[in-house]
Amino acid sequence: MDNPQEVAGPPLLDVVNVSKRFVVRGSRQSVTWRRHLTAVDGVSFSLRAGEITALVGESGSGKSTVARMLSRLETPSGGYVNLHGERVRFGVPGGRRAYLRQVQLIFQDPFASLNPVHTVRYHLERPLRVHQHLRSQQDVERGVAALLEEVHLTPPSRFIDCYPHQLSGGQRQRVAIARALAVGPKVVLADEPVSMLDVSIRLGVLNLLAQLVEERGLALMYITHDIASARYFAATTHVMYSGQLIESGPSEDVTQSPRHPYTQLLLESSPDPTRSRKRIPLSALEVAHGNIGTGCRFQPRCPYAMPRCAEEASPRQAVGGTHWAACWLLAPVPADGQ
Ligand code: SF4
């Protein structure tokens, strides 16, 4: 993938300081309680045409909530999103369909995202009629066949009348991708698109997505817990922990020279046959929830934590080029050494 600094053009989707808070209610021994859970806190990034951007983090880090907000399944509690430079008006009736024509979400589980009582033909015909305004049956048939060929389900006649349960996991995900393409999007949000597929077919689906990005000039956000795949697949990688971006930059830099302790742990815990270091216990990677306070959110688990880390969170510290990490270890040492 290209270095993001070499990719020209303004962002298609600009996410600025977006946050999401949920109200959590419960009761215990006749006492009811209510508190706020901050799932996403001040997240900013851009998606550009022809570029793959990875959003990496463990379960509960908030990355799927980001995808749900960008696909308008949730309304942000703060911040804003621009699409083609225009402010997206969340929570306001109207405009949602036009937005979703530009921004499509591919879900993790292709079986759940396809209707089991309808054929492949049905799933692809509907968006072609509604969004591409194809009217004649002949045009629709041609459109469905072209989509199936584009996602390498060939010959189309072999798949067009199949129901989801008659397809393999990889084939179902290719149908889900074809359905997203049928709308004609400019931005695709792929939420763990291969994590439910057999390892043997994951690479084929990732290569297909990369090919579509190149051929259609899509802006693709690849959401994953697998930082190793981000290195090979995405130009830019953002690492998320406990609702915040904690490191970001060109994928090669972030994965080869990780600067935030959490990114380092994430990489060490990912399978890599070429690495002989000990694997980090998963408990060290668990995401902190609840009352987080003002300090660094990784502080309770960080092997390098200092007193300062509990008092205030580090701002973004530039590492080089567009690479940054939010960690006090990277802060410049004051001239007096204090
Ligand atoms: Fe660890 Fe402190 Fe850096 Fe947070 S700011 S990651 S606690 S060293």
Side-chain angles (χ1 to χ4, degrees):
M1 292 296 149
D2 296 332
N3 185 311
Q5 288 170 309
E6 296 166 4
V7 178
L12 281 181
L13 196 75
D14 225 355
V15 178
V16 183
N17 209 21
V18 160
S19 58
K20 179 69 186 174
R21 287 200 308 166
F22 293 102
V23 177
V24 185
R25 292 186 178 85
S27 66
R28 192 170 182 180
Q29 295 175 342
S30 314
V31 178
T32 58
W33 52 264
R34 178 177 181 271
R35 64 186 173 92
H36 287 103
L37 178 74
T38 304
V40 176
D41 188 6
V43 164
S44 301
F45 60 85
S46 300
L47 302 179
R48 288 185 162 75
E51 186 182 325
I52 301 172
T53 303
L55 188 61
V56 178
E58 292 299 290
S59 297
S61 61
K63 58 192 191 306
S64 290
T65 306
V66 171
R68 289 178 65 80
M69 286 192 282
L70 297 184
S71 51
R72 297 190 65 162
L73 295 170
E74 301 282 356
T75 301
S77 310
Y80 63 90
V81 176
N82 285 344
L83 178 63
H84 296 298
E86 298 233 334
R87 188 71 58 92
V88 178
R89 301 176 72 208
F90 289 94
V92 176
R96 188 166 182 274
R97 176 177 283 192
Y99 177 88
L100 294 179
R101 201 175 291 141
Q102 304 278 315
V103 182
Q104 280 285 300
L105 176 65
I106 297 169
F107 291 95
Q108 179 179 12
D109 182 358
F111 199 62
S113 69
L114 299 175
N115 190 327
V117 301
H118 288 301
T119 62
V120 170
R121 181 196 301 276
Y122 177 89
H123 284 96
L124 301 184
E125 271 187 6
R126 254 179 78 79
L128 287 174
R129 289 184 193 279
V130 173
H131 295 282
Q132 304 297 339
H133 307 296
L134 300 187
R135 293 285 171 255
S136 77
Q137 190 55 34
Q138 201 182 24
D139 286 347
V140 173
E141 289 282 329
R142 262 202 295 266
V144 170
L147 284 168
L148 289 174
E149 278 174 5
E150 199 171 359
V151 296
H152 304 168
L153 289 176
T154 53
S157 56
R158 194 179 136 208
F159 299 95
I160 198 164
D161 290 315
C162 288
Y163 288 88
H165 72 271
Q166 295 173 309
L167 302 173
S168 70
Q171 289 167 343
R172 280 197 289 269
Q173 194 59 300
R174 285 169 191 267
V175 173
I177 293 168
R179 184 178 56 179
L181 295 178
V183 175
K186 299 291 180 221
V187 178
V188 172
L189 313 168
D191 189 0
E192 302 269 17
V194 295
S195 64
M196 295 193 71
L197 306 181
D198 285 349
V199 174
S200 58
I201 52 176
R202 287 180 185 177
L203 190 59
V205 173
L206 288 180
N207 284 339
L208 169 66
L209 287 170
Q211 185 185 341
L212 294 171
V213 166
E214 199 174 317
E215 290 175 358
R216 287 187 170 235
L218 298 172
L220 177 72
M221 189 170 83
Y222 172 54
I223 299 164
T224 182
H225 64 276
D226 179 10
I227 193 167
S229 68
R231 176 186 169 197
Y232 295 104
F233 187 53
T236 303
T237 291
H238 304 298
V239 183
M240 202 165 176
Y241 180 80
S242 190
Q244 295 179 324
L245 296 189
I246 51 93
E247 183 159 4
S248 176
S251 298
E252 189 70 13
D253 296 351
V254 171
T255 56
Q256 293 304 95
S257 309
R259 304 305 297 273
H260 194 286
Y262 175 67
T263 313
Q264 292 165 2
L265 288 171
L266 207 53
L267 275 158
E268 289 188 22
S269 69
S270 70
D272 183 347
T274 63
R275 193 172 44 222
S276 58
R277 274 175 291 177
K278 271 202 308 190
R279 291 192 62 180
I280 303 297
L282 282 178
S283 59
L285 294 165
E286 281 171 9
V287 176
H289 286 295
N291 205 354
I292 285 159
T294 53
C296 171
R297 295 183 178 191
F298 193 54
Q299 184 258 337
R301 295 184 175 83
C302 180
Y304 310 106
M306 305 168 272
R308 183 183 196 181
C309 305
E311 289 160 15
E312 61 177 324
S314 166
R316 296 179 175 191
Q317 311 282 355
V319 176
T322 54
H323 187 186
W324 61 263
C327 176
W328 286 121
L329 292 173
L330 306 170
V333 179
D336 60 4
Q338 299 297 302

